[in-house]
mmCIF file of all heavy atoms in Angstrom:
data_model
loop_
_atom_site.group_PDB
_atom_site.id
_atom_site.type_symbol
_atom_site.label_atom_id
_atom_site.label_comp_id
_atom_site.label_asym_id
_atom_site.label_seq_id
_atom_site.Cartn_x
_atom_site.Cartn_y
_atom_site.Cartn_z
ATOM 1 N N LEU E 307 28.072 7.550 -4.978
ATOM 2 C CA LEU E 307 27.148 6.987 -6.006
ATOM 3 C C LEU E 307 25.700 7.256 -5.619
ATOM 4 O O LEU E 307 24.887 7.582 -6.512
ATOM 5 C CB LEU E 307 27.430 5.485 -6.173
ATOM 6 C CG LEU E 307 26.574 4.800 -7.226
ATOM 7 C CD1 LEU E 307 26.793 5.427 -8.587
ATOM 8 C CD2 LEU E 307 26.921 3.309 -7.358
ATOM 9 N N LEU E 308 25.355 7.098 -4.382
ATOM 10 C CA LEU E 308 23.995 7.263 -3.950
ATOM 11 C C LEU E 308 23.508 8.745 -4.162
ATOM 12 O O LEU E 308 22.375 8.972 -4.580
ATOM 13 C CB LEU E 308 23.740 6.894 -2.490
ATOM 14 C CG LEU E 308 24.076 5.367 -2.205
ATOM 15 C CD1 LEU E 308 23.896 5.137 -0.686
ATOM 16 C CD2 LEU E 308 23.142 4.487 -3.002
ATOM 17 N N GLU E 309 24.496 9.650 -3.998
ATOM 18 C CA GLU E 309 24.173 11.089 -4.267
ATOM 19 C C GLU E 309 23.912 11.293 -5.755
ATOM 20 O O GLU E 309 22.993 11.948 -6.186
ATOM 21 C CB GLU E 309 25.268 11.972 -3.814
ATOM 22 C CG GLU E 309 25.441 12.153 -2.318
ATOM 23 C CD GLU E 309 26.052 10.872 -1.635
ATOM 24 O OE1 GLU E 309 26.611 10.018 -2.346
ATOM 25 O OE2 GLU E 309 25.947 10.803 -0.422
ATOM 26 N N ASP E 310 24.748 10.655 -6.589
ATOM 27 C CA ASP E 310 24.608 10.826 -8.045
ATOM 28 C C ASP E 310 23.241 10.256 -8.503
ATOM 29 O O ASP E 310 22.557 10.823 -9.325
ATOM 30 C CB ASP E 310 25.715 10.025 -8.804
ATOM 31 C CG ASP E 310 27.061 10.781 -8.658
ATOM 32 O OD1 ASP E 310 27.061 11.920 -8.214
ATOM 33 O OD2 ASP E 310 28.132 10.145 -8.988
ATOM 34 N N VAL E 311 22.900 9.086 -7.966
ATOM 35 C CA VAL E 311 21.651 8.409 -8.363
ATOM 36 C C VAL E 311 20.462 9.231 -7.841
ATOM 37 O O VAL E 311 19.447 9.385 -8.525
ATOM 38 C CB VAL E 311 21.628 6.953 -7.958
ATOM 39 C CG1 VAL E 311 20.252 6.291 -8.251
ATOM 40 C CG2 VAL E 311 22.744 6.189 -8.687
ATOM 41 N N SER E 312 20.595 9.754 -6.663
ATOM 42 C CA SER E 312 19.524 10.612 -6.080
ATOM 43 C C SER E 312 19.374 11.841 -6.995
ATOM 44 O O SER E 312 18.218 12.273 -7.264
ATOM 45 C CB SER E 312 19.882 11.107 -4.712
ATOM 46 O OG SER E 312 19.963 9.963 -3.823
ATOM 47 N N HIS E 313 20.452 12.416 -7.446
ATOM 48 C CA HIS E 313 20.381 13.576 -8.338
ATOM 49 C C HIS E 313 19.605 13.200 -9.588
ATOM 50 O O HIS E 313 18.771 13.963 -10.067
ATOM 51 C CB HIS E 313 21.804 14.032 -8.621
ATOM 52 C CG HIS E 313 21.869 15.251 -9.542
ATOM 53 N ND1 HIS E 313 21.544 16.510 -8.982
ATOM 54 C CD2 HIS E 313 22.121 15.423 -10.796
ATOM 55 C CE1 HIS E 313 21.664 17.401 -10.010
ATOM 56 N NE2 HIS E 313 21.976 16.744 -11.104
ATOM 57 N N LEU E 314 19.905 11.987 -10.131
ATOM 58 C CA LEU E 314 19.224 11.490 -11.312
ATOM 59 C C LEU E 314 17.681 11.389 -11.066
ATOM 60 O O LEU E 314 16.849 11.767 -11.869
ATOM 61 C CB LEU E 314 19.769 10.127 -11.723
ATOM 62 C CG LEU E 314 19.096 9.426 -12.858
ATOM 63 C CD1 LEU E 314 19.209 10.174 -14.169
ATOM 64 C CD2 LEU E 314 19.634 7.965 -13.012
ATOM 65 N N ALA E 315 17.399 10.882 -9.864
ATOM 66 C CA ALA E 315 15.931 10.747 -9.530
ATOM 67 C C ALA E 315 15.204 12.068 -9.570
ATOM 68 O O ALA E 315 14.127 12.218 -10.112
ATOM 69 C CB ALA E 315 15.777 10.044 -8.157
ATOM 70 N N TRP E 316 15.877 13.118 -9.057
ATOM 71 C CA TRP E 316 15.305 14.458 -9.094
ATOM 72 C C TRP E 316 15.103 14.902 -10.544
ATOM 73 O O TRP E 316 14.081 15.481 -10.879
ATOM 74 C CB TRP E 316 16.195 15.536 -8.374
ATOM 75 C CG TRP E 316 16.196 15.395 -6.888
ATOM 76 C CD1 TRP E 316 17.256 15.055 -6.073
ATOM 77 C CD2 TRP E 316 15.115 15.701 -5.998
ATOM 78 N NE1 TRP E 316 16.922 15.075 -4.742
ATOM 79 C CE2 TRP E 316 15.592 15.455 -4.675
ATOM 80 C CE3 TRP E 316 13.783 16.114 -6.119
ATOM 81 C CZ2 TRP E 316 14.809 15.645 -3.511
ATOM 82 C CZ3 TRP E 316 13.013 16.304 -5.035
ATOM 83 C CH2 TRP E 316 13.522 16.066 -3.734
ATOM 84 N N GLN E 317 16.102 14.550 -11.374
ATOM 85 C CA GLN E 317 16.018 14.914 -12.822
ATOM 86 C C GLN E 317 14.830 14.221 -13.460
ATOM 87 O O GLN E 317 14.241 14.754 -14.452
ATOM 88 C CB GLN E 317 17.344 14.367 -13.457
ATOM 89 C CG GLN E 317 17.967 15.218 -14.521
ATOM 90 C CD GLN E 317 19.165 14.455 -15.078
ATOM 91 O OE1 GLN E 317 20.006 14.005 -14.310
ATOM 92 N NE2 GLN E 317 19.213 14.319 -16.379
ATOM 93 N N LEU E 318 14.442 13.060 -12.947
ATOM 94 C CA LEU E 318 13.335 12.353 -13.511
ATOM 95 C C LEU E 318 11.974 12.890 -12.992
ATOM 96 O O LEU E 318 10.894 12.366 -13.310
ATOM 97 C CB LEU E 318 13.400 10.844 -13.102
ATOM 98 C CG LEU E 318 14.634 10.084 -13.628
ATOM 99 C CD1 LEU E 318 14.652 8.663 -13.008
ATOM 100 C CD2 LEU E 318 14.683 10.008 -15.105
ATOM 101 N N GLY E 319 12.060 13.866 -12.079
ATOM 102 C CA GLY E 319 10.835 14.456 -11.497
ATOM 103 C C GLY E 319 10.397 13.620 -10.295
ATOM 104 O O GLY E 319 9.252 13.698 -9.810
ATOM 105 N N LYS E 320 11.286 12.736 -9.792
ATOM 106 C CA LYS E 320 10.906 11.951 -8.606
ATOM 107 C C LYS E 320 11.658 12.437 -7.410
ATOM 108 O O LYS E 320 12.671 13.162 -7.502
ATOM 109 C CB LYS E 320 11.332 10.461 -8.856
ATOM 110 C CG LYS E 320 10.914 9.860 -10.155
ATOM 111 C CD LYS E 320 9.412 9.469 -10.100
ATOM 112 C CE LYS E 320 8.982 8.769 -11.354
ATOM 113 N NZ LYS E 320 7.547 8.712 -11.505
ATOM 114 N N THR E 321 11.238 11.996 -6.197
ATOM 115 C CA THR E 321 11.904 12.365 -4.991
ATOM 116 C C THR E 321 12.614 11.089 -4.525
ATOM 117 O O THR E 321 12.016 10.078 -4.357
ATOM 118 C CB THR E 321 10.892 12.805 -3.894
ATOM 119 O OG1 THR E 321 10.235 13.973 -4.404
ATOM 120 C CG2 THR E 321 11.589 13.083 -2.612
ATOM 121 N N PRO E 322 13.943 11.129 -4.332
ATOM 122 C CA PRO E 322 14.657 9.950 -3.821
ATOM 123 C C PRO E 322 14.579 9.885 -2.333
ATOM 124 O O PRO E 322 14.628 10.871 -1.609
ATOM 125 C CB PRO E 322 16.087 10.268 -4.273
ATOM 126 C CG PRO E 322 16.255 11.744 -4.270
ATOM 127 C CD PRO E 322 14.893 12.321 -4.637
ATOM 128 N N VAL E 323 14.551 8.651 -1.787
ATOM 129 C CA VAL E 323 14.702 8.416 -0.407
ATOM 130 C C VAL E 323 15.828 7.378 -0.299
ATOM 131 O O VAL E 323 15.689 6.295 -0.864
ATOM 132 C CB VAL E 323 13.431 7.944 0.321
ATOM 133 C CG1 VAL E 323 13.741 7.420 1.730
ATOM 134 C CG2 VAL E 323 12.435 9.075 0.388
ATOM 135 N N VAL E 324 16.901 7.705 0.301
ATOM 136 C CA VAL E 324 18.061 6.797 0.340
ATOM 137 C C VAL E 324 17.882 5.845 1.525
ATOM 138 O O VAL E 324 17.636 6.294 2.652
ATOM 139 C CB VAL E 324 19.395 7.562 0.459
ATOM 140 C CG1 VAL E 324 20.593 6.603 0.629
ATOM 141 C CG2 VAL E 324 19.608 8.441 -0.773
ATOM 142 N N VAL E 325 17.943 4.530 1.244
ATOM 143 C CA VAL E 325 17.727 3.582 2.365
ATOM 144 C C VAL E 325 18.808 2.482 2.299
ATOM 145 O O VAL E 325 19.432 2.273 1.251
ATOM 146 C CB VAL E 325 16.298 2.907 2.230
ATOM 147 C CG1 VAL E 325 15.236 3.924 2.513
ATOM 148 C CG2 VAL E 325 16.063 2.289 0.843
#
Side-chain angles (χ1 to χ4, degrees):
L307 183 57
L308 299 177
E309 288 74 15
D310 287 347
V311 173
S312 297
H313 183 73
L314 173 66
W316 287 114
Q317 219 183 309
L318 300 174
K320 309 283 184 196
T321 299
V323 168
V324 176
V325 291

